[in-house]
Amino acid sequence: MGMAAALKRDAVVILRIDGEELLEFSKNPTFETDVLSIFSEIGLPDGSLQDYIMEAFVKLTVDQGMPPATDPWVVSNIVEPALQSLGDVSQQPVSDETFLTEFTRAIESVAQRLKEQPAIVAHSQNTFDGNGIKRLLSNKFELQKTLNFALESVPKDQNGEISNEYFRGALEILASSAGLPPFSAIDQMDNITTEALKMFEMHDRKMVNEEEFKKLLTQLLETIMQHLEANPISVSINSIVHESDTSSSTVLQPSSP
């Protein structure tokens, strides 16, 4: 729900994925390099060839013509039937040459399945580049209101002072107002936040008053904003749309900015 709220301002595009773009991807001059790069990223030392192929499909995106391969409908109607048509893909160990050959065949089979039964995908993309934080910081009234709301939610001692260990909790409370995703939604964002927090959790004073806490929290937002301005994070959300059913499955994928 938090991720959906963070992306609610972005338009949703309905894509019909019918295997054509997947075949184009397989004929791209960089295909072999791309596939071997995917193979090197898959950490399955005891995995079978089928395990590697399944994981490789998960790493493909709608830009490459692949619907979200973790969606149950895609697995049961597209990927698994395609793998069954290949015969025995259970052997171990898996070499890069074998993987390249069999994954190419698997892509062709998946493309054929998609041609027969296209996947309808609701696609949305958002880039976290610090602009949400910049907008909040530029509106002094909104900033103070947001900081005060966060302040009300953190514990204080008998002197009204706050431990700097509550920076993370306060930041999570104001994340949506700053145009940030909730914690644990995006690994890259979590890494930036964790690094920024380390600087402030090492503050000389472990306990600070309310005004200093708000000042430091503002500086924390500025630090995160600078990180995002230098290295924006782009994320796409892909949901299979079942025309005869109201249910859907959502897949969150980081993508290159």
Side-chain angles (χ1 to χ4, degrees), residues 7-20:
L7 297 179
K8 65 182 179 181
R9 64 181 179 275
D10 297 296
V12 175
V13 178
I14 302 299
L15 305 174
R16 183 178 185 274
I17 300 180
D18 58 7
E20 287 188 13

Side-chain angles (χ1 to χ4, degrees), residues 1 3-4 7 68-72 121-124 235-242 247-253:
M1 292 178 64
M3 194 66 240
L7 297 179
T70 53
D71 181 273
V121 178
H123 172 73
S124 174
V235 176
S236 63
I237 287 184
N238 300 297
S239 304
I240 290 291
V241 178
H242 304 280
S247 63
S248 65
S249 176
T250 300
V251 175
L252 186 84
Q253 294 179 321

Side-chain angles (χ1 to χ4, degrees), residues 206-247:
K206 298 299 182 184
M207 302 293 294
V208 295
N209 61 37
E210 292 186 1
E211 287 305 310
E212 189 169 8
F213 188 83
K214 289 197 292 184
K215 179 182 177 181
L216 291 170
L217 194 55
T218 301
Q219 292 175 359
L220 177 61
L221 285 172
E222 291 172 345
T223 300
I224 294 173
M225 179 183 71
Q226 291 166 3
H227 276 287
L228 291 174
E229 287 177 335
N231 298 287
I233 297 173
S234 185
V235 176
S236 63
I237 287 184
N238 300 297
S239 304
I240 290 291
V241 178
H242 304 280
E243 294 178 319
S244 60
D245 194 343
T246 56
S247 63

Side-chain angles (χ1 to χ4, degrees), residues 180-200:
L180 297 174
F183 285 115
S184 301
I186 304 171
D187 289 342
Q188 294 162 286
M189 191 68 237
D190 287 349
N191 292 338
I192 289 175
T193 301
T194 298
E195 288 303 311
L197 281 166
K198 285 179 182 178
M199 299 169 54
F200 291 88

Side-chain angles (χ1 to χ4, degrees), residues 159-179:
N159 299 316
E161 293 193 325
I162 307 164
S163 171
N164 60 16
E165 69 184 39
Y166 293 114
F167 280 130
R168 181 181 289 272
L171 183 61
E172 186 165 9
I173 291 168
L174 56 79
S176 61
S177 298

